Amino acid sequence: MTSLKTLDRRGFLALAGGTVGVLAAGQLAPAPVAHAAELDGAPFTLGVASGDPNHHSVVLWTRLVLDPLNAETGGMPAQPVDVQWEVARDESFRNVVQRGSVTALPESAHTVHVLAEDLSPDRWYWYRFLSGGTYSRVGRTRTMPPPGAKADRMRFAFVSCQSWAGGPYPAYRDLAEQDLDFVLHLGDYIYETSGGSLTEFRRLHAQYKTSPDLRAAHARFPFFLTWDDHEVQNNYAGDIAGGAGDGRPFLERRANAYQAYYEHLPMRPEQRPDGPDALMYRRVQYGKLAEFSVLDTRQYRSDQPCGDGRKAPCAEAEDPARTMTGPEQEQWLLDGLSRSKARWNVIAQQTIMAAFDYDLGPGKVVNLDQWDGYPAARSRILGFIAENRPSNPVVLGGDWHTHWVNDLKLDFDDPGSEVVATEFAGTSISSGAGWDADVRAGLVANPHVKFYNGTYRGYVICDVTPQRWRSDLRIVLNAADAASPAFTIAAFEVKDGTPGARRIDVGDGLVGHIVDRATGAPLANVQVTVTGTDGRRISTGTTDTTGEFLAFAPPGDCTVATNGVGYEPVTVAATVRKGVQTQVDVKLERAAVRAGTGRPVPGPQSQATASDIVLSNDMLALAVSAISQDSQLPNVTVGKPLDLAAVGHLDQLDWLNLPYASAVQPRGSNAWQQLTVRSTSVEILSAGGPEAGVRATGTSTAVPGIEVVTTYTVRAREPWVTAESVFTNRGTVPRTFWLGDVVDHDGAGQRSGVAGHGTVTASAPADFTPTAPWIGMTGSDGQTYGLLYDEAGFTAYACGIWVMSQRQVTIEPGAAFTLRRRIAAVHNGGAADPFTVLAAL
């Protein structure tokens, strides 16, 4: 047994300073760096935490770690270490009520779990640890009211999804300043990397706890925790891997992940894993005011149906045997709801329970990893609630990195169906939401969604009394800024005995409506950017289907700039007052014909920069790369369209590989990746007037002597840009080759269309002969992209996620071949066949 001596603080600073935040392998952005000054004092560098309190006990946690960067040992000796602990009624520890000693073992990464028992109910306590003469920071925790006891009020926060790469956790900084009884964490505490070793999972947990704001929240409040997928592997289901990983057996990865999770969090002995298994679902009682059923929707679920993803559900999804929780946990949930005497019955789980159809047409596109992939299981739970009427059912969720307030119904396709429960889903602490625009586009088809916002990161505060439940949706302006201010974006209330939430507070910040100046019609999908007086961008969002936007800025002066396809940009000044929502309404005029830089096409897939060229009119906008390079089209992106959107829509395109010139006929799943035309110059021919034009000049990289010049032209009142590519043989011998274009759409519900062959959704490409000279792609947002050729005589090669034209030509020396087509973007009106609009152009 070892007792740590007093540590050399100077030596520790030299060891850890400036390097704790090393980027985890496989993450997408530079991680914030934690300096030694931001860590707790060694050996308690990762702080303290408490969790899972009941009315007489609570778990206390810490870890001895001299060097959080040392994934193998943490800088600790490979020996047991004595740790003392104390619990007091006061922060100064004059009235100590519990104390003891525990051993931190190297095989558990020197983590400590103390179950402090025989405590008084419904009161706050303070605790600390001692090792080698050094005290930890002081943590604060509390016990719950006894089961069945009267409790007048409960105030807690729920959080989820805290990707390290997403920022330094200003949401936790704001949370730690609140008056709360406890925090409920609904999963994605860490984000896995491709390495699935125990050492790697321990490294990630240590890395995440180098955040001073996360440690502060743990030290101030007890946590109840449950996991989602990223603690192990994205979208895993039961014993089925969600990805390739590092080649180790998946259950070995799961066992390593579960062990590291338990080691680094304040969990009860009942949650200690046994290899790849752990009992995570449990009940929490807060007197007779509330009972929480905390679920585990990963360990026992059926595999996602239909190949997972966001797509139209197949017959497999309807199988009644499919389960999100496993049959035993599902029955446990229903039994608990039937026996509960609590005023509020809370189902605390990971993801969104409400149905959500992303397709604006007659079809259906859903997220198969959410409850939409398990509709029979959802129906059993909601049907049970409707029949047995447990008091005030409320469902809490996370996972989708966005704020939601939903009515839960027996039939989500029937607007008149009874509301049986209320759902609040919280946005992420730091993880991004690249699907935000897809959700917003689909809101009009989902009237049971009472509120949605995906622009901001944050969490939810719940204030509960016997008479009402109030949820405040908190947001931070910038998750990448540790000092980012926080606001309430909206507040909703559920009255005792009446399922369904009503909005009671419009929140702080800016709100407004964007409309057409001439008609007064509301304008959806207009990008709104708020900028401070120092030129710093504060927030960016888009209008919903009613033309409304929500944006936030600290009190003071700012500017609000609009960017909507088909409309001239407008910038207005605004003054934000503290605690008062500021109204900013803007009227926009239809756009003139233009080709120029500085104004990108708005949208979730938009990748062109302000230095690229945009051709636009009152119907659409198309960005052509002048300098940008796409990683999928290395060194050949210049001169090709990157972004495209119709009026009232956002860009959903990945890019148009327009044109290509290949020596062989493109074949296989990578046929789209034609690196065969490289432009050396892009110039604006006409900046505006009756028409605007851009020319890209280059050569084929695959066919010697072939010059390729593409001219893009846009005119008023045309929902297309004309593209003319001239292939000239500058050589001395004839050249035979394949040419054409590729369309790649990356938005939700992506699918291809070929004239005469309908919609293409197959994953493997196949040949088609168009009956009319067009090919196209569409998604769930009601927008269709098309290439309409002046001449037939080509074949289409297509799968569900891209489509290309193929035409073989022979060009004599000095001769040329001209390929003319129109690049169209149009609203399809939600038609059953979204490609009929192309035939009408």
Side-chain angles (χ1 to χ4, degrees), residues 790-819:
D790 281 10
E791 297 179 1
F794 64 90
T795 58
Y797 192 54
C799 60
I801 60 174
W802 51 262
V803 58
M804 68 190 305
S805 59
Q806 298 186 352
R807 184 191 310 256
Q808 190 177 42
V809 299
T810 299
I811 305 178
E812 298 295 329
F817 176 85
T818 301
L819 182 65

Side-chain angles (χ1 to χ4, degrees), residues 313-459:
C314 61
E316 179 189 2
E318 303 297 332
D319 183 352
R322 292 180 44 71
T323 173
M324 188 78 123
T325 61
E328 182 177 338
Q329 183 181 187
E330 183 178 308
Q331 190 59 52
W332 170 88
L333 170 63
L334 301 183
D335 289 346
L337 290 173
S338 67
R339 293 195 302 266
S340 174
K341 303 300 182 184
R343 180 66 59 92
W344 298 91
N345 284 281
V346 187
I347 301 176
Q349 49 87 57
Q350 286 66 38
T351 191
I352 295 173
M353 184 172 281
F356 193 84
D357 182 6
Y358 288 83
D359 198 315
L360 299 185
K364 182 171 286 189
V365 171
V366 300
N367 184 341
L368 295 166
D369 184 59
Q370 296 176 345
W371 285 88
D372 271 331
Y374 306 80
R378 176 175 60 199
S379 293
R380 288 192 295 268
I381 294 171
L382 294 181
F384 180 91
I385 290 173
E387 181 177 352
N388 293 273
R389 303 289 174 175
S391 177
N392 297 322
V394 175
V395 176
L396 305 181
D399 178 58
W400 212 223
H401 308 177
T402 45
H403 274 315
W404 301 66
V405 180
N406 301 322
D407 287 341
L408 296 181
K409 298 168 172 264
L410 292 180
D411 184 357
F412 290 99
D413 294 327
D414 178 9
S417 180
E418 179 189 7
V419 178
V420 300
T422 304
E423 179 174 42
F424 297 102
T427 190
S428 59
I429 288 290
S430 60
S431 307
W435 44 82
D436 174 40
D438 299 337
V439 177
R440 281 187 284 100
L443 289 173
V444 66
N446 296 271
H448 54 276
V449 178
K450 298 305 179 185
F451 179 87
Y452 169 83
N453 185 273
T455 303
Y456 303 101
R457 315 282 68 81
Y459 64 100

Side-chain angles (χ1 to χ4, degrees), residues 649-669:
H649 289 275
L650 299 168
D651 168 62
Q652 298 282 347
L653 197 69
D654 194 1
W655 35 251
L656 291 173
N657 198 343
L658 178 156
Y660 69 84
S662 177
V664 297
Q665 185 178 15
R667 299 281 91 182
S669 60

Side-chain angles (χ1 to χ4, degrees), residues 349-642:
Q349 49 87 57
Q350 286 66 38
T351 191
I352 295 173
M353 184 172 281
F356 193 84
D357 182 6
Y358 288 83
D359 198 315
L360 299 185
K364 182 171 286 189
V365 171
V366 300
N367 184 341
L368 295 166
D369 184 59
Q370 296 176 345
W371 285 88
D372 271 331
Y374 306 80
R378 176 175 60 199
S379 293
R380 288 192 295 268
I381 294 171
L382 294 181
F384 180 91
I385 290 173
E387 181 177 352
N388 293 273
R389 303 289 174 175
S391 177
N392 297 322
V394 175
V395 176
L396 305 181
D399 178 58
W400 212 223
H401 308 177
T402 45
H403 274 315
W404 301 66
V405 180
N406 301 322
D407 287 341
L408 296 181
K409 298 168 172 264
L410 292 180
D411 184 357
F412 290 99
D413 294 327
D414 178 9
S417 180
E418 179 189 7
V419 178
V420 300
T422 304
E423 179 174 42
F424 297 102
T427 190
S428 59
I429 288 290
S430 60
S431 307
W435 44 82
D436 174 40
D438 299 337
V439 177
R440 281 187 284 100
L443 289 173
V444 66
N446 296 271
H448 54 276
V449 178
K450 298 305 179 185
F451 179 87
Y452 169 83
N453 185 273
T455 303
Y456 303 101
R457 315 282 68 81
Y459 64 100
V460 180
I461 294 176
C462 301
D463 193 311
V464 185
T465 71
Q467 294 77 37
R468 60 103 181 103
W469 176 298
R470 172 176 172 143
S471 287
D472 283 41
L473 313 184
R474 296 287 288 173
I475 60 98
V476 293
L477 293 184
N478 182 5
D481 178 6
S484 177
F487 300 88
T488 296
I489 195 170
F492 283 80
E493 184 179 76
V494 182
K495 291 288 191 180
D496 174 37
T498 306
R502 66 183 184 91
R503 191 167 180 175
I504 59 173
D505 187 342
V506 295
D508 302 320
L510 296 161
V511 66
H513 285 85
I514 311 296
V515 300
D516 184 296
R517 180 177 292 278
T519 66
L523 301 180
N525 292 318
V526 175
Q527 182 175 287
V528 179
T529 302
V530 181
T531 304
T533 54
D534 58 358
R536 181 176 58 89
R537 177 178 294 184
I538 297 173
S539 63
T540 300
T542 54
T543 56
D544 62 18
T545 54
T546 69
E548 184 182 62
F549 72 90
L550 285 172
F552 289 82
D557 295 334
C558 62
T559 58
V560 179
T562 67
N563 181 16
V565 174
Y567 286 86
E568 295 291 346
V570 170
T571 299
V572 298
T575 300
V576 178
R577 292 172 292 166
K578 185 176 181 180
V580 178
Q581 193 169 66
T582 303
Q583 186 80 22
V584 179
D585 296 326
V586 184
K587 297 178 180 180
L588 302 184
E589 295 183 350
R590 297 305 290 261
V593 175
R594 178 181 182 271
T597 59
R599 186 186 176 193
V601 180
Q605 307 298 333
S606 182
Q607 60 176 317
T609 69
S611 297
D612 295 313
I613 300 170
V614 173
L615 297 104
S616 58
N617 62 8
D618 56 346
M619 302 290 286
L620 85 170
L622 172 76
V624 175
S625 171
I627 63 169
S628 294
Q629 292 288 345
D630 187 283
S631 60
Q632 297 179 102
L633 303 176
N635 301 316
V636 300
T637 312
V638 170
K640 293 179 167 59
L642 288 175

